[in-house]
Amino acid sequence: MTLDVYKGELVARARTWVDLPLDERRRRAVAAARDRDGEALWDLTEAHLTTHGSAGARVRPHTLRMYHLGVRHWLAYGNTAAVALLNPAPDTGALYLRSLEASGKAPSTAQVYLAGVRQLYRALRWAGATTADPFLDARPARDKTAPWDKRQPYPEEDVQKLLAAATPELRLLVLLGAHAGLRASELVALGWEDVQLDAGTLRVRDGKGGKARVINLSASLTTALAALGGKTGPVIGRSPEAARLRLKTLCKQAGVAYRGLHALRHYNGTRIVRAGLSLEAAAQHLGHASIETTRVYAKWSDDTLKRELGRW
């Protein structure tokens, strides 16, 4: 399967660093930092993640992309601020975060960059290139925006407009988010072999945290899958970025404000809770590790105050 090939490629790339004698690994890591060789430093980081990260070879492509983004941004900052990569000053990490905040980066973006650069320094220490840990005590500023005020779900009427304007394949993309609640990475990884129309289920093989789950199909999603069924390979395929672009194009055609692909998943969670089902049911359907993550849907689905104020 594609996922197995991806894991195999990760392990094969990791071996180019893991199989080196320790002195040679250190020499190459030092040289990459000295030359600010972004490609070599990322290869080192990826090798360390694959061999020593908590997810190992099951690390998700999206996670790697985010870490890679953080490493690239840090190296660009290091060039501008003349940071000594292997021997940074004690306050370098904190100053980097303050520079992100001063440039208007959202706290969530700062967290992504911080996660990537922390992985880089774990890899450099693993290679013996440095003992520095400039981000040990670095903490981004707290996000003052409540979770339910960020990335709101698509309203019901917008989802219906999208479905009405969609081609059969794009209708399937919308429903996989809005009814199955799939994340972008789960949506594009879904294969026809994972769809069981007779049982009314689909299987997510490698969700967030490497967890698998089985999802019950809605009647609308079952119909959409059956209309395009009998195929092999990916149901949607391509990349998360391509899926987002396709949805953005559809939103423009349907006259709907684009809120992102993940907002379809938010719509799904909100609709489950609004229908009177439990937070536990929503968490299981969406593959949340903690029910605390699911509580945001209770906030979005509770329009009691809005209705009451409307009567004043």
Side-chain angles (χ1 to χ4, degrees), residues 73-89:
H73 193 274
W74 165 248
L75 292 176
Y77 171 85
N79 287 335
T80 302
V83 174
L85 295 183
L86 296 181
N87 189 30

Side-chain angles (χ1 to χ4, degrees), residues 22-306:
L22 294 181
D23 286 348
E24 180 62 13
R25 186 192 305 168
R26 178 182 180 279
R27 187 194 70 78
R28 292 192 188 186
V30 169
R34 180 197 64 216
D35 299 338
R36 300 181 184 270
D37 185 339
E39 183 176 351
L41 288 172
W42 170 247
D43 287 346
L44 171 66
T45 304
E46 185 187 68
H48 178 261
L49 269 167
T50 303
T51 52
H52 296 284
S54 59
R58 295 179 66 88
V59 61
R60 298 165 65 224
H62 174 73
T63 301
L64 287 176
R65 284 194 295 271
M66 294 300 99
Y67 285 156
H68 195 184
L69 179 64
V71 170
R72 292 204 317 268
H73 193 274
W74 165 248
L75 292 176
Y77 171 85
N79 287 335
T80 302
V83 174
L85 295 183
L86 296 181
N87 189 30
D91 296 321
T92 298
L95 284 173
Y96 174 60
L97 287 177
R98 300 295 85 81
S99 75
L100 292 175
E101 294 158 4
S103 68
K105 293 290 190 296
S108 58
T109 301
Q111 288 281 12
V112 167
Y113 290 166
L114 179 60
V117 74
R118 279 177 169 161
Q119 292 296 338
L120 168 64
Y121 276 92
R122 289 189 185 103
L124 287 168
R125 293 193 297 274
W126 168 64
T130 185
T131 59
D133 192 359
F135 294 91
L136 177 63
D137 297 321
R139 297 289 183 272
R142 292 185 62 183
D143 190 349
K144 297 180 180 179
T145 305
W148 51 87
D149 286 334
K150 297 185 295 184
R151 302 184 69 180
Q152 295 262 340
Y154 286 100
E156 175 67 34
E157 57 270 24
D158 283 359
V159 173
Q160 296 307 317
K161 287 180 182 178
L162 291 174
L163 292 173
T167 62
E169 186 176 350
L170 285 179
R171 179 180 177 83
L172 191 51
L173 186 152
V174 172
L175 289 172
L176 286 170
H179 285 197
L182 297 188
R183 301 176 176 93
S185 58
E186 296 169 347
L187 192 151
V188 299
L190 185 71
W192 284 106
E193 68 276 12
D194 301 317
V195 177
Q196 304 295 325
L197 289 179
D198 292 341
T201 63
L202 63 79
R203 174 177 50 180
V204 174
R205 293 177 180 269
D206 191 26
K208 191 171 184 179
K211 296 179 179 178
R213 70 184 188 277
V214 175
I215 295 173
N216 292 312
L217 300 176
S218 69
S220 300
L221 180 51
T222 299
T223 300
L225 286 164
L228 292 174
K231 298 181 178 181
T232 59
V235 175
I236 298 296
R238 305 184 191 180
S239 66
E241 291 75 16
R244 294 185 184 100
L245 180 59
R246 296 171 77 187
L247 178 61
K248 189 173 186 177
T249 301
L250 176 61
C251 283
K252 185 175 182 180
Q253 294 171 349
V256 168
Y258 176 67
R259 296 171 180 257
L261 184 60
H262 206 73
L264 291 173
R265 177 175 161 87
H266 291 331
Y267 163 86
N268 180 246
T270 303
R271 184 169 178 177
I272 290 173
V273 175
R274 186 169 287 155
L277 300 177
S278 67
L279 290 178
E280 288 82 1
Q284 183 178 7
H285 182 76
L286 294 165
H288 285 160
S290 169
I291 198 170
E292 292 304 314
T293 307
T294 321
R295 292 192 186 282
V296 67
Y297 300 120
K299 296 287 186 181
W300 282 331
S301 63
D302 186 4
D303 55 5
T304 305
L305 176 60
K306 182 178 180 180

